[in-house]
Amino acid sequence: SKDTGRNAYYFYDEAMNNDAEEHLLLRNGLRLAIERGELVLHYQPQMDIRSGRMVGVEALLRWQSPTFGLVEPGRFIPVAEDSGLIVPIGAWVLEQACRQARAWQDDGLPALTVAVNLSAVQFRRDDVEATVDQALERSGLPPHCLELELTESILLQDVEQVLALVQRLRQRGMHFSIDDFGTGYSSLAYLKRLDIDKLKIDRSFVHDLDQTADAAAIVEAIVEMAHKLGLRTIAEGVESPELLDRLRDIGCDEAQGYLHARPMPAQDFSRYLHAHFHN
Ligand code: C2E
Ligand code: CA
Ligand code: CA
Ligand code: CA
């Protein structure tokens, strides 16, 4: 009826206002989050499927807010990107992740690659190179132990500029992967020119791998294409042994997901590392 229609509109409108309000509250809180020490990194292992050995670790940001509690990145990263706060936050993440990886090496653990998510907003900035160099310098982490995870959306920017930047950082020894691969717009032509190491197969394809033939066909095609281009593949969101078996059959190189471990704070991850490498 007309009445319900008006109510529906009213609620929709209110929801929009609440979103805008939340956005504002989050933004104001985020502004002080770094200096107040409210940002924390959690770490999740990346496993080589054939050997079962840990080869890398992804750093995932969390915000421990006194007002909102533990805020997931899906809620505050978009706010940080819109407000430009992602720039100082991203610089903090890079340095913190590099310092932690270096600390694990100093602790006598085998060198792992630490993977850090870079927002397209960060990647667009002129000072991104200096920011990365500074994180490596201050932490003492060798560049080959750092992997930068980019999303396909960076390819919507000036492509020549992106290709040149990636190449310069690669010459210093850093690694690159394309995150959420298959969900964005990368053209194969750019992919071939982009000097990267690895494709991260999006969780949505991995999740349906054992359920739909389409998802299996997509994962198989990505792995085959990646290998032909000389790239490694890592599957995200690996939650069960069955999925891991399927991925092994397909020839996927690495796996990351709840099957091995959920993302955890640095201290817990240290214990996890010691148990993994000393058993
Ligand atoms: P992402 O880079 O694709 O990260 C993987 C997400 O999948 C993480 O969510 C992780 O906790 C989750 N995950 C890992 N294993 C599994 C699994 O087996 N099953 C399921 N269902 N999920 C799994 P999280 O930590 O909430 O991060 C969400 C997104 O926020 C990330 O997606 C990334 O795009 C962004 N993000 C996180 N940290 C940073 C950061 O430091 N900088 C930037 N720019 N973005 C970040
Ligand atoms: Ca990622
Ligand atoms: Ca991803
Ligand atoms: Ca994602």
Side-chain angles (χ1 to χ4, degrees), residues 58 60 116-117 149 179-180 200 236 256:
E58 181 175 2
L60 293 156
V116 175
N117 294 284
E149 295 197 359
D179 208 350
D180 305 335
K200 296 196 78 172
E236 316 183 303
Q256 180 179 349

Side-chain angles (χ1 to χ4, degrees), residues 2-272:
K2 221 173 165 182
D3 235 33
T4 350
R6 205 179 310 140
N7 278 338
Y9 178 75
Y10 174 76
F11 286 120
Y12 179 63
D13 200 41
E14 183 163 80
M16 294 268 289
N17 278 333
N18 286 341
D19 272 3
E21 208 170 295
E22 188 193 73
H23 197 102
L24 197 68
L25 287 171
L26 288 173
R27 192 209 296 175
N28 287 336
L30 262 184
R31 248 188 246 293
L32 299 165
I34 299 183
E35 54 192 81
R36 289 186 178 165
E38 295 166 6
L39 298 180
V40 276
L41 292 180
H42 283 193
Y43 297 89
Q44 188 179 37
Q46 301 181 322
M47 319 298 279
D48 181 88
I49 293 181
R50 258 153 309 207
S51 69
R53 294 273 289 183
M54 194 188 313
V55 287
V57 49
E58 181 175 2
L60 293 156
L61 185 58
R62 301 285 180 269
W63 176 21
Q64 184 65 63
S65 156
T67 322
F68 307 103
L70 189 70
V71 193
E72 295 290 317
R75 227 174 118 205
F76 71 84
I77 293 280
V79 175
E81 287 178 332
D82 284 351
S83 60
L85 286 167
I86 192 67
V87 174
I89 289 175
W92 179 87
V93 169
L94 263 168
E95 187 169 331
Q96 187 60 29
C98 290
R99 282 183 189 276
Q100 185 59 67
R102 175 65 206 238
W104 283 322
Q105 288 184 9
D106 290 345
D107 211 15
L109 292 156
L112 296 168
T113 302
V114 64
V116 175
N117 294 284
L118 275 201
S119 149
V121 175
Q122 276 173 282
F123 209 69
R124 229 180 353 248
R125 303 252 317 179
D126 293 336
D127 56 3
V128 63
E129 227 173 324
T131 305
V132 173
D133 284 340
Q134 195 174 54
L136 289 169
E137 215 166 282
R138 286 185 179 170
S139 64
L141 187 75
H144 71 267
C145 294
L146 176 62
E147 180 170 295
L148 300 174
E149 295 197 359
L150 309 175
T151 57
E152 293 168 88
S153 60
I154 58 146
L155 293 171
L156 298 175
Q157 303 170 22
D158 182 339
V159 169
E160 295 305 322
Q161 216 170 309
V162 169
L163 296 178
L165 175 55
V166 168
Q167 203 158 28
R168 281 201 304 279
L169 292 170
R170 282 282 283 150
Q171 276 161 4
R172 309 234 247 299
M174 274 160 254
H175 298 283
F176 283 90
S177 61
I178 301 290
D179 208 350
D180 305 335
F181 186 76
T183 61
Y185 312 84
S186 18
S187 103
L188 293 178
Y190 290 141
L191 194 64
K192 191 167 169 295
R193 293 181 58 202
L194 200 59
D195 192 9
I196 55 165
D197 307 271
K198 211 196 278 185
L199 297 183
K200 296 196 78 172
I201 305 169
D202 191 66
R203 198 162 70 221
S204 57
F205 304 123
V206 176
H207 185 259
D208 296 341
L209 193 56
D210 52 356
Q211 278 152 35
T212 78
D214 281 357
I218 290 171
V219 174
E220 281 168 17
I222 292 175
V223 170
E224 193 185 329
M225 179 199 66
H227 287 168
K228 282 190 173 142
L229 293 173
L231 305 173
R232 287 171 67 78
T233 47
I234 178 167
E236 316 183 303
V238 181
E239 294 183 358
S240 70
E242 291 75 24
L243 281 178
L244 188 65
D245 286 342
R246 286 289 288 129
L247 290 162
R248 187 182 291 112
D249 291 343
I250 290 171
C252 183
D253 304 282
E254 297 173 20
Q256 180 179 349
Y258 296 165
L259 172 66
H260 294 104
R262 288 185 178 252
M264 57 191 127
Q267 261 199 339
D268 296 344
F269 197 77
S270 297
R271 274 192 291 276
Y272 182 88

